[in-house]
Structure formats: structure tokens, C-alpha cells
Amino acid sequence: MSLTFSKVGVVGAGAMGRGIAQIAAQAGSTVLLYDTQPQAVDKAIAEVSSQWARLQEKGRMDDAQVRACRDRLKPAGALADLAGCELVVEAIVERLDVKKPLFAELEGVVGETAILATNTSSLSVTAIAAGCKRPQRVAGYHFFNPVPLMKVVEVIAGLKTDAEVCARLASYAREMGHTPVQAQDTPGFIVNHAGRAYGTEALRLVSEGVADFATVDRILKDQVGFKLGPFELLDLTALDVSHPVMESIYRQYYDEPRYRPNVITAQRLAGGVVGRKSGEGFFRYVDGKAQLPPEPAVPQVEDIPPVWVSTRAARRAELFQLLKELGAKIETGQSPSLNALTLVAPLGFDITTVAVVERLDPARTIGIDLLVDDAATKRRVLATNPATRTDMRDAAHALFARDGKAVSVIRDSGGFVTQRVVAAIVNIASDICQQRICTPKDLETAVTLGLAYPLGPLAMGDRWGPANILEVLFNMQTVYGDPRYRPSPWLRRRGAIGLSLMHEEE
Ligand code: NAI
């Protein structure tokens, strides 16, 4: 099989350039690595060599393969050495004023048919290509860190990029063992755009006093299956990296409310509380381990009152079944008796609003989040309203913990934790489809590989019901009057037929 590019140049020998050089050499290309700091090239080649030694130890490469790879990876002393390269991938400092002149200079070095690609994560590919005589040959090639392990790459078409250029980059990505996805040149491309909701909605929940950092993380991991909670994730990437990304995407979309960052991260960044690498972020780290506050204990309650369930509760039949299994005394009257614990299960609405609208006694009213079916979760989430009596809260907590499942009790808010974060993720993903930044299929691939979500965002919407997600958003908009919760037209149109249908758009 002949390779799409047999000779490849990589400019910038930092974390990303080194990883790209490694997988290109592994694919069989001769790779020339250039950096303005010659010692960076030496360091990168030594680092990649030791990666190959490790792969050999693990039996993933044999001696001959390692030697061949080492022979193919060569230092370049000057940019002019890249003259014979068929592809040059740039991975230098993230500055337009440095990248743009580099691309113009590269055009004078390489041959007529060579392709020039940028690994930028936040700049416009169109702007980088604008200084070139032939911007048709310039594309984005956005890898993720660490490159050899993160098996997805976004191939980005600038305004003038030839389709053939993207097709060749996609073929080469496959030859390197990566999955290419195709994106239009828009802020954040696919992955960094789709990833906006998780952190910003979680921050908003904490800033409203709904729950603390650890509780929000526990809920999203146990109810939805995320590997890392949003705050653990922000601690890992560190706020000096992620806060500017949140601001940049928000500003590049001209203050679109869906991407609005939060003062919590601005303030913590200013205070140097940036994450794991500084020893303290949303959590404190001792010997690299997060020091999490313990979970509140399950209250001991002698006598649990009878339970009445609102006629409008989501998943009402399932809730009755669950209550039966937990051994609750269930009331079936038109309205709750005088001492009944009153359960509501709204989508999007806050518990206070539901109590008022349904004429329930708020002091005895508790909400439960049933967007995700109980059998599919490892945690139940209850919400009080400001009037809820502590004996009622404790009784509900004790009842729902009877079978040993974890229970979190949060404060009243529109949409609980899971509903809000999931709805925000599905809505932003839908808007990516609406803007035709990529196909629904590539969106799902990019997010599952690039962000390691348990499901693609569209599949997530389908799993828990597009109509339910829409209901959450409509009601959240009513509760908050905030345009960030307005549903994308794409989600509204797909609400009845499903989101992850892979047929061509109507
Ligand atoms: P880095 O700081 O580790 O490495 C950058 C390298 O480029 C340095 O060795 C520097 O000496 C060299 N350099 C700077 N100006 C140069 C020039 N004019 N010519 C040649 N070499 C030059 O940076 P990193 O993290 O590898 O990022 C590189 C690019 O990849 C940036 O555009 C970044 O936004 C993007 N990116 C970074 C990711 C990450 O997680 N670190 C993920 C995806 C993209």
C-alpha cells in the first residue's frame, strides 16, 4: 500500500509536534522535525525514541520496526530542509501573528503540490491561510493530546481549502491509525465546541448554590456515566488553559449566551488556584490524589411517612414501582393526606414552581430527577425547595437510600443537575448540526473519541428522549428567562423523530 504522503515535515517540536511526528513515522513516512529551538528537536526525538522502546517492551513493536521508525524520524536544521516534503504540519505557538508569516514562508520552501496543515486549536484556519498565495492547499489538522493515544483528528476546511486537500489529509489520518472527522472552520471546530456545555453548565449550577463541586461531579458520573466530573476535568486541564478557551469561544461567537463563561473560573484563575498541577483547584491534591469532602451520611429515620406522587411526575409508573420495591406506604388519593411526603418529578421546572402550580404544600414537597431511568443510574438525586421541612427531606433521603443506592440532596433549581447539563450538551450539539459544522455522524465520532463521553451527544438525547430534553429546555427558559436555554431549531425539528438518525438532512 502506498502512503498518501511519504515525506512529511513537522514544524514545532513541543508536546503536539512530537506526537504527530511519532505517528507519522510509525505509519511509514520519512519525517523531518523542525523547531526554532534546536534543543527542542533533540529532546523530542529522544522522547519519541523512548516511547518506541516502551512499545517494544510491551510487545507492540518489534526490534526491526523500532529501528525503521528511528531511521525515518530526522531532525531538520532549517526550514529550508523541508523543501521535498509533500505535507508540512505546523504545531508551533498558538499565535496568529507567528503562524501566518510561517505559512507564507513555507509556501516558498515546499513544492507546488505540497499540502500545508495547521494543528491550531483556537485560531481560524482561514486567517492563517490568508497570507498564502495558494490558500487552497492550506487546511486544519487538529490532533488531541497525547496524539498517539487520542485517536481522532479534525480535518478543517478553511474558506478556500480544496476538498481534495481535506480528502488526502483524511486518508493519511487513517494510515496513521486515526479516525478523521471533517469540520468547517468555525470557533472550537467540533470537539472544543461540543465540549462547552459540560463545564459552563456545571459552573452555573454551583454559582447558583444548587450543589457543591464534589456533589455535581458525583451526580454526573453516577447518573450519566461520565468518566470524570466537570470539576475533576477542569482540574486536570487547568484553568490557565480552559478559562481562556471558554472566553475565546464565547467572544468568537459574539457573546452567544450558550457559551457564557463563569466568574468562578475567572476568580480562581486570578488567585492561582488553577488545578491539579498547582496542588489546588476545585479540589486539593495530596500526592496527586484529590481530597474530596465525604458524602453526607444517610439520616436515620424511624418512621417514614406515606408517600404521594404528583399526577404529572415524569416516569410516574416507574416511580410507583420503585417506591413499592423500597417498601414505601403509597397514597393513591387525588391529593396528599395531611402528613404525606409529596413527590414531584419535573423536567426543567424548579420544585417551588411545581408546588405552587399543582397547589401542593411546599413544606412537604420534594423533587426527584427522573430524566434518566432509575435502573440505569448509580445515584438518585432529590431536590428540596426553600420551604421543605428537614424531617421531610431526611425521610425522603432515608427512603430512597433503603436499597443501598447513593442519594444526593440538592437545592431547588430549574432542571436538577443531570437534566441541565445533559440538555445543554444536546442543545449545543444540535446547534453544531444546525450550523452544518459537520455531519451528525462525525459529531458523534469526534465527541466520543475526543471527549470520552459515554455516548455521543445526539445518542444521549435519543437515549433519554428528545421530547424530554426539549421539555427541560423550554421550562428552563421559563424559569430563568435566559436565552442560553432556547432550543436549537435543529433540536426542535428532530424532537419527534430522533436526533442520531444518520440520514441526510431534509
Ligand atoms: P508547545 O509549547 O509544547 O510547543 C511549541 C513548540 O513550537 C516549541 O518547541 C517552540 O520552540 C516551537 N516554536 C515556536 N515558534 C516557532 C516557530 N516560529 N517556528 C518553529 N518552531 C516554533 O506547544 P503545543 O502544546 O505542542 O502546541 C502546539 C500547537 O498545537 C498550538 O497551536 C496549540 O494550540 C495546538 N494544540 C495543542 C494541544 C495541547 O493539548 N497542547 C491540543 C491541540 C492543539
Side-chain angles (χ1 to χ4, degrees):
M1 182 191 75
S2 70
L3 278 172
T4 305
F5 305 108
S6 56
K7 196 167 177 191
V8 173
V10 175
V11 184
M16 297 305 288
R18 163 191 324 163
I20 298 164
Q22 179 184 334
I23 60 167
Q26 281 170 211
S29 305
T30 299
V31 180
L32 289 169
L33 184 56
Y34 173 73
D35 198 293
T36 39
Q37 313 282 327
Q39 68 277 21
V41 174
D42 298 339
K43 204 173 141 220
I45 292 181
E47 174 61 32
V48 172
S49 290
S50 66
Q51 289 291 339
W52 284 328
R54 238 167 280 158
L55 288 172
Q56 191 178 349
E57 273 165 34
K58 289 187 194 159
R60 304 238 198 96
M61 285 172 96
D62 64 27
D63 189 46
Q65 287 170 317
V66 170
R67 260 186 292 125
C69 280
R70 282 190 180 142
D71 285 347
R72 284 196 289 266
L73 177 56
K74 301 175 200 299
L79 204 61
D81 293 351
L82 307 187
C85 291
E86 296 144 15
L87 165 69
V88 177
V89 184
E90 166 277 314
I92 66 165
V93 56
E94 186 74 338
R95 277 176 48 187
L96 182 61
D97 63 332
V98 187
K99 290 197 198 269
K100 205 170 158 183
L102 172 71
F103 274 76
E105 196 183 342
L106 276 170
E107 260 199 322
V109 170
V110 298
E112 273 296 292
T113 56
I115 288 176
L116 304 177
T118 172
N119 184 47
T120 184
S121 50
S122 64
L123 301 172
S124 152
V125 173
T126 305
I128 292 171
C132 290
K133 288 194 205 82
R134 288 189 51 229
Q136 297 86 336
R137 63 152 115 184
V138 180
Y141 213 22
H142 183 218
F143 289 89
F144 297 83
N145 194 15
V147 179
L149 299 182
M150 299 293 289
K151 299 279 188 192
V152 63
V153 55
E154 295 175 329
V155 178
I156 299 129
L159 204 57
K160 299 206 166 159
T161 312
D162 273 346
E164 173 65 17
V165 166
C166 293
R168 292 185 68 202
L169 288 171
S171 301
Y172 189 55
R174 288 189 202 96
E175 288 157 16
M176 292 189 290
H178 273 48
T179 301
V181 288
Q182 183 78 47
Q184 294 302 323
D185 187 18
T186 47
F189 312 128
I190 308 172
V191 172
N192 285 342
H193 185 166
R196 282 316 86 215
Y198 196 46
T200 48
E201 198 57 33
L203 282 159
R204 218 171 137 81
L205 278 152
V206 174
S207 68
E208 288 172 15
V210 176
D212 60 16
F213 303 126
T215 304
V216 171
D217 273 10
R218 285 184 185 121
I219 292 172
L220 289 164
K221 288 198 290 185
D222 288 351
Q223 287 211 312
V224 190
F226 289 104
K227 289 200 186 80
L228 291 177
F231 296 106
E232 284 175 294
L233 183 63
L234 286 168
D235 271 359
L236 197 65
T237 44
L239 292 184
D240 53 338
V241 176
S242 43
H243 181 77
V245 173
M246 291 190 226
E247 286 198 332
S248 155
I249 293 188
Y250 175 62
R251 293 289 178 217
Q252 288 187 72
Y253 270 110
Y254 297 106
D255 298 9
E256 163 57 51
R258 288 196 188 103
Y259 314 127
R260 193 187 306 133
N262 196 287
V263 291
I264 292 179
T265 47
Q267 197 204 31
R268 295 175 90 85
L269 174 57
V273 185
V274 298
R276 195 181 270 266
K277 70 181 180 192
S278 69
E280 189 181 359
F282 293 104
F283 308 112
R284 276 194 334 103
Y285 292 84
V286 177
D287 300 328
K289 236 184 125 6
Q291 307 297 298
L292 299 179
E295 289 225 38
V298 179
Q300 297 296 320
V301 179
E302 291 294 312
D303 239 352
I304 293 180
V307 182
W308 182 89
V309 176
S310 158
T311 51
R312 297 194 212 167
R315 297 186 192 276
R316 192 160 180 264
E318 279 173 56
L319 183 53
F320 272 120
Q321 184 57 33
L322 172 64
L323 288 167
K324 228 161 91 189
E325 283 162 19
L326 293 170
K329 285 168 268 171
I330 301 170
E331 288 192 356
T332 52
Q334 286 268 298
S335 52
S337 69
L338 277 182
N339 87 44
L341 170 65
T342 306
L343 277 182
V344 297
L347 292 171
F349 276 128
D350 56 293
I351 311 308
T352 307
T353 300
V354 175
V356 169
V357 170
E358 296 189 23
R359 316 267 169 198
L360 303 169
D361 173 9
R364 294 182 286 130
T365 303
I366 296 268
I368 181 165
D369 188 352
L370 288 176
L371 175 69
V372 176
D373 51 307
D374 187 70
T377 67
K378 289 197 250 154
R379 180 176 295 271
R380 298 182 181 118
V381 177
L382 306 176
T384 54
N385 71 73
T388 306
R389 277 181 1 218
T390 47
D391 62 319
M392 286 293 162
R393 182 195 65 202
D394 288 351
H397 189 162
L399 172 64
F400 282 104
R402 261 186 186 168
D403 58 357
K405 203 177 257 202
V407 173
S408 290
V409 184
I410 61 170
R411 292 196 195 87
D412 201 5
S413 83
F416 299 89
V417 174
T418 293
Q419 289 180 18
R420 281 175 69 161
V421 173
V422 166
I425 289 172
V426 175
N427 198 26
I428 285 179
S430 299
D431 213 52
I432 289 176
C433 297
Q434 174 73 39
Q435 291 182 46
R436 294 177 193 251
I437 292 170
C438 60
T439 62
K441 189 165 181 289
D442 274 1
L443 171 70
E444 299 291 87
T445 305
V447 172
T448 40
L449 294 177
L451 296 172
Y453 284 5
L455 288 172
L458 303 177
M460 212 181 267
D462 279 345
R463 170 96 192 264
W464 295 308
N468 290 338
I469 302 286
L470 273 171
E471 190 173 336
V472 170
L473 290 167
F474 282 132
N475 292 341
M476 294 277 299
Q477 235 190 315
T478 308
V479 173
Y480 287 95
D482 187 331
R484 70 192 274 129
Y485 299 116
R486 74 198 186 286
S488 164
W490 195 90
L491 176 57
R492 294 175 74 145
R493 288 202 313 277
R494 291 287 186 109
I497 57 171
L499 307 179
S500 49
L501 291 175
M502 296 305 177
H503 61 65
E504 278 304 301
E505 261 288 72
E506 64 276 15

